[in-house]
Amino acid sequence: NIYLVGGVLVLSMSPDVAGAGRESPLAAVPGEAHAKGSTAIGGTGVIGVAKDAWPPTEETWDFGEQDVGSDGGCCRCCGSCCGTTARCCGARQLRSRLWRSSLLWVDWLLGDGYGQATLLLVSALALIFAGTGVWMSTAGTADYNAESFEESLWMSWGLFFDPGTQTGVAASEHISVKTVAAVFSILGFLYNLTLLGIIVEWIRAIMDRWTRTKSRVWCTDHILLLGWSEKTLFMLHEILEGMAENSQNDPVVIVADRDPADMRDEIRQYFIKIWQGKFSSFDRRWRLLRSLHIRAGLIHDQDVLERANASWARTIIILGRDGNPRHADLETVRNTLALSSLQAPITGRILAEVQMVEKAKVLKRLHPMTEVIHARSAANHILALMAMKPVVGSIISNLCSFSAGEELYAIELPELEGRSFEEACHHFKKSVCIGVQGTKQVEESHNTRIVLAPPKERQIQAGERLLVIARRVQDVEQSRDRKWHWRKRQENHSFNQSLTMGNRAPLVAGSTALFRSLSKSASADTDVVAEELRSPLVIIGWPADLPDMLSLLDEIVPQGTIVHLLSEKPEEHQKMQVQNMKRPPKNMTLHHHVGPRDSQQTLGKLPLAEASAILVLAVAQGQHLDARDGLQIADDDDVDDDTLTSDSSCLSILLQIADLLNMQGPDLMDMRQPLQVHGKLPEKFVRHQSNRIICELLDPRTDQVLTRNKTLCQTATFFRSKALETGLFTMAASEPAVFNTLMLLMSPSCPSLQAVPVGVYLSRAGKVSEEVGCGKASGDLGKYSFWELASMVRAVDQGLLVGWHRNDEQTEETPEVCPEENKDVKMSWSSKDNLLVIQHPKHRLDA
């Protein structure tokens, strides 16, 4: 064994000496051993001396001439004991330097571009001259004399550059000649393949660089989508579905700071899972998908925007990224500033998504064509409606998407000019006319020129369009020439800025203030009906915009409603955010709960069984608390995978709540029967609990998983917030009138959609008694047609009937808008049925 003891290398076969050396390094070897390396000490020999540590480095050894003591000694380099002055290890030092130099040359030849070119040149010359020498060593041929250096060099060049040169060697030549020709032809062929491959890659790299820096979008009147987020796939789905239905082929351009191949793969995988098996391979949707223009680049780079032909785009959509709301809106401001700085002025509309309403004025000042959309507030309001008014919330949610339920259309019918609105309503057989887009400003329209539920005697003026709810575009088209869909652009679209802004009504920003009532006044009937809804409300999770959601809920819930909030945030921070609300809750009493929201023990402390609704909200996993104002902000580094993680957490909480309701509700099902996640849920649980639990989802990949699990879909109502925000964005980009109509339908200060028991109108009209109308006494309310009920609604509160929701104990039908049955057919009604009515704020009868 070799030990390093006191700077001396010791070869020892005695474990005692080794042990002593470890305990006391200087005790194992006497002082004489430092000078006399040949001295043996009990089977221990000193074989060398190290300065610092072993293994030795270059600084450890002294190369060159070394002097040792006169009484002899050992060389500290090689350990030889010559006893005289000698030159030691000079050859080893020289070999070490040569080896290091050769490694540097190899690195330069293989790792540097010039070195690689030098290596290729040297290799070519070596092969050519080697072939020349070998050819001269053979007998040669009649055409190429081996004794001539010039002829041998030319033959070697031919074999190296052209493999076909070997075919000129006759079969009768000597075997050595044919062998040399074959070997050097193969070597030259391999070299040329390598060289050509390098040239091809070099040319490909140049062309790719030209494609990135020189390519342009050679189209106009296109839709330009700036940015990439989880909303992009939803938006593409809405756009492509709308164009497929209306036989359109408008170009769609996507610009984002991502690899185009990754974006194209993600888009293809998403639509394959949605469309495969539903549409044939010859459907025009696949052609529209393949015609997408995807470009990579910084959105705020003016050169990238100019090459995307942003100046001639019909609509420019700026999607806000996830994460910090301030940073997201500042990035939107920066992108809008880049658009306003282009050499050619923007001729289309700019739709910008903001998370903070305060940035709306800034964006509009940057560019006059900018229209700001705060879709998150609208989505929060729809979520609040789904919690407290599930029928209305479900209808509004379906109207915001092209792929589900009914749609809003704007149609201009010159033959109805001069006729009354009531005649216009009777003109549509399978659809419902709900309003008019006028040519002048009107009250209660938020500067949109939209009149919902106008008086029946109002005349249709020239240039006005009718707002119609229908299931299919065929239900509203009167002739092929006058067909007009809200996603189809106008034929006479002009790029002139003044003309564009003059013909289009401005978009409603969709802020929280839009969904607040001007005055909180409830009638006696409202209090009677709402008494049944005074049950606690449970909210699990604390997203960054929860204060806005609470403000919207406060406008809907009855006075005295208790709201239980469960969050992992400290109670002080929860109360601080509530205190910072612009309008503190007046109708709600908040009870704060602190603890892990995915803990069954924590969830068990909440009044889940008594709650009228349970909201499981998505919370970003990478959020931190802003100390300045208590806002919860998402870390930018955690945004990419955060949506999928949040959805997994929400689904986990949902299943735990279902288990708790299973144990707390013996009247709903047998307590001993476990919740079947992959099997079939008990029918009573599905009927009574699916509408009470609302689970928010963000990521489109989660939505694809849910489509394959029908049992999980029946457990709760899933609120796809990002898809809803995208639908609102697509609607605003296609037709502002329809977007504004939806915003007004949700605004309490405007004629809005309400669900009212049919008995209320029948009792007010004198058809049934007040007890039967209010539901205090059960019984059949009689048979009435759609037009008969519409006349009663007009007479009672000047509202407009658009549909109904029939609560059948056997089928439990979904809300039905614009019924397809003959509107003159009479149907039986019960006290559990509701009518869907557009009511004016002054004559509202809430359900």
Side-chain angles (χ1 to χ4, degrees), residues 196-212:
L196 290 176
I198 294 174
I199 295 175
V200 169
E201 290 297 329
W202 176 65
I203 296 176
R204 183 186 299 275
I206 293 177
M207 296 184 68
D208 290 342
R209 185 172 66 252
W210 288 347
T211 302
R212 292 192 306 268

Side-chain angles (χ1 to χ4, degrees), residues 554-574:
D554 189 59
E555 300 289 338
I556 303 176
V557 299
Q559 189 174 5
T561 302
I562 299 177
V563 179
H564 295 267
L565 300 172
L566 174 59
S567 174
E568 299 178 4
K569 299 176 61 175
E571 185 175 354
E572 296 77 10
H573 292 165
Q574 297 182 27

Side-chain angles (χ1 to χ4, degrees), residues 105-127:
W105 277 101
V106 170
D107 291 343
W108 181 76
L109 290 174
L110 299 180
D112 189 80
Y114 294 102
Q116 294 172 356
T118 303
L119 179 61
L120 290 174
L121 179 61
V122 172
S123 301
L125 294 177
L127 285 176

Side-chain angles (χ1 to χ4, degrees), residues 396-414:
I396 297 296
S397 177
N398 291 336
L399 290 176
C400 294
S401 175
F402 175 72
S403 58
E406 297 79 8
E407 291 185 70
L408 269 170
Y409 299 85
I411 183 172
E412 183 178 354
L413 296 178

Side-chain angles (χ1 to χ4, degrees), residues 302-317:
Q302 295 186 10
D303 183 69
V304 174
L305 295 175
E306 289 179 355
R307 297 189 180 278
N309 210 5
S311 300
W312 296 98
R314 172 164 54 93
T315 303
I316 302 175
I317 301 175

Side-chain angles (χ1 to χ4, degrees), residues 412-420 423 459-464:
E412 183 178 354
L413 296 178
E415 61 268 23
L416 293 180
E417 294 180 3
R419 297 187 180 183
S420 64
E423 292 178 326
Q459 292 185 350
I460 308 300
Q461 304 297 328
E464 294 183 340

Side-chain angles (χ1 to χ4, degrees), residues 134 138 166 169 174-186:
V134 174
T138 61
Q166 62 178 335
V169 179
H174 192 268
I175 186 63
S176 60
V177 176
K178 293 187 289 185
T179 301
V180 171
V183 170
F184 281 91
S185 293
I186 294 174

Side-chain angles (χ1 to χ4, degrees), residues 826-845:
K826 295 185 178 182
M827 295 180 293
S828 299
W829 299 91
S830 67
S831 58
K832 296 182 180 180
D833 297 334
N834 294 324
L835 297 181
L836 303 177
V837 183
I838 299 179
Q839 293 182 332
H840 292 268
K842 300 179 182 179
H843 309 281
R844 183 160 298 161
L845 299 176

